[in-house]
Amino acid sequence: VRTATATPTPEPTPTQTPRPSWVSSFIDPVMTTVENEEPEFFDNFSIPDANWGFRDGNRPALSPITIENEMLVMAISRDYGFARERKLSINNFVENLDFAFAQDDQSVFELVLVGSYGSWSVHLINTGEAWEGTIKVQDPKTGDWKPVQNGVVSAEDPTKMNLTVIKNGTQLAVLVDGHPMLTYQDRALPKTMFHDYYFYRGTTDVMVKMTLDNIRIWDLDNYPNLPK
């Protein structure tokens, strides 16, 4: 009696997804340069800073911020709110921060870089399984916002993330929890004057909250040899 010998099916050799060229050419040199350097701006909200202000909706003026458990808390009863540190004005930068929503309702966080002639922003929303990001640029003449680049990163947590935004010269890059999300290049990028932190409510009708913490910003004008 002849016994059949089973031939094992060979397992496929895992292949590593190649890193996008813009990661090695732009992100890597920048992050390697600043990783052991002290940031020009740092706030973990352990000490009150009177330069911070907060606005709930379209109220006419900034009011004092709320700090709880050494975090900046934005609570909004309107459709949106934003916080600003009035003396923070860095044009070319690496910015790293932590933010968290108090509710899982597809709330939106947007880092708006306000310029003297037009602005740009990084708009982030969580769909439950992924963070979706969009870079937007504002037309300085009409004030209209135009999406110019989109990206998606799998969500480690649908309510919080560590965000890194790099802007140097004509180039932008966004990382979510350390993972590259998207990049954009534009010779007409407006010069940054203010860093504004916007919070838009999701599907919740009552008051909603989010927190900001551990904001670090390195001024890349101090490192002139980096790619732009």
Side-chain angles (χ1 to χ4, degrees), residues 126-138:
N126 192 286
T127 62
E129 297 182 353
W131 286 101
E132 295 183 357
T134 305
I135 292 176
K136 299 180 179 181
V137 176
Q138 185 187 40

Side-chain angles (χ1 to χ4, degrees), residues 172-219:
L172 306 176
V174 178
L175 299 90
V176 171
D177 294 322
H179 304 295
M181 174 186 261
L182 53 88
T183 185
Y184 178 65
Q185 189 163 13
D186 187 347
R187 292 185 179 277
L189 277 176
K191 182 178 180 180
T192 301
M193 294 180 61
F194 296 107
H195 296 230
D196 287 353
Y197 306 88
Y198 274 77
F199 171 35
Y200 298 87
R201 70 167 59 251
T203 58
T204 305
D205 293 330
V206 296
M207 178 175 284
V208 288
K209 294 182 179 181
M210 72 162 287
T211 59
L212 282 174
D213 201 9
N214 301 317
I215 300 176
R216 295 174 172 85
I217 304 178
W218 291 263
D219 187 345

Side-chain angles (χ1 to χ4, degrees), residues 6-89:
T7 302
T9 302
E11 295 185 2
T13 303
T15 58
Q16 187 174 7
T17 302
R19 302 173 85 234
S21 60
W22 53 271
V23 175
S24 56
S25 64
F26 181 55
I27 292 179
D28 287 350
V30 171
M31 297 305 294
T32 299
T33 297
V34 303
E35 65 179 349
N36 294 318
E37 300 293 333
E38 291 293 325
E40 276 65 37
F41 177 86
F42 172 65
D43 202 337
N44 62 1
F45 302 101
S46 59
I47 300 174
D49 180 354
N51 291 313
W52 278 100
F54 171 70
R55 182 184 296 170
D56 184 358
N58 57 358
R59 290 182 175 178
L62 294 173
S63 59
I65 62 170
T66 299
I67 295 178
E68 296 177 3
N69 299 319
E70 296 189 354
M71 292 182 287
L72 187 158
V73 177
M74 288 196 282
I76 58 173
S77 56
R78 293 167 171 78
D79 290 338
Y80 73 96
F82 80 93
R84 170 186 289 179
E85 210 281 356
R86 296 174 180 88
K87 292 189 176 181
L88 178 56
S89 179

Side-chain angles (χ1 to χ4, degrees), residues 87-225:
K87 292 189 176 181
L88 178 56
S89 179
I90 300 177
N91 180 37
N92 295 305
F93 58 85
V94 174
E95 177 159 4
N96 179 264
L97 59 87
D98 298 314
F99 77 81
F101 299 127
Q103 57 288 316
D104 184 4
D105 71 339
Q106 294 191 353
S107 296
V108 172
F109 175 73
E110 188 167 25
L111 176 61
V112 178
L113 291 306
V114 181
S116 58
Y117 191 68
S119 303
W120 62 277
S121 75
V122 179
H123 179 279
L124 296 155
I125 184 171
N126 192 286
T127 62
E129 297 182 353
W131 286 101
E132 295 183 357
T134 305
I135 292 176
K136 299 180 179 181
V137 176
Q138 185 187 40
D139 187 317
K141 296 180 180 179
T142 65
D144 295 335
W145 288 87
K146 177 184 177 182
V148 294
Q149 191 65 276
N150 299 302
V152 177
V153 167
S154 297
E156 296 181 6
D157 188 306
T159 61
K160 64 182 180 181
M161 75 151 72
N162 175 267
L163 173 67
T164 301
V165 177
I166 305 172
K167 187 261 183 177
N168 201 27
T170 63
Q171 292 194 71
L172 306 176
V174 178
L175 299 90
V176 171
D177 294 322
H179 304 295
M181 174 186 261
L182 53 88
T183 185
Y184 178 65
Q185 189 163 13
D186 187 347
R187 292 185 179 277
L189 277 176
K191 182 178 180 180
T192 301
M193 294 180 61
F194 296 107
H195 296 230
D196 287 353
Y197 306 88
Y198 274 77
F199 171 35
Y200 298 87
R201 70 167 59 251
T203 58
T204 305
D205 293 330
V206 296
M207 178 175 284
V208 288
K209 294 182 179 181
M210 72 162 287
T211 59
L212 282 174
D213 201 9
N214 301 317
I215 300 176
R216 295 174 172 85
I217 304 178
W218 291 263
D219 187 345
L220 295 185
D221 286 339
N222 294 330
Y223 307 95
N225 295 324

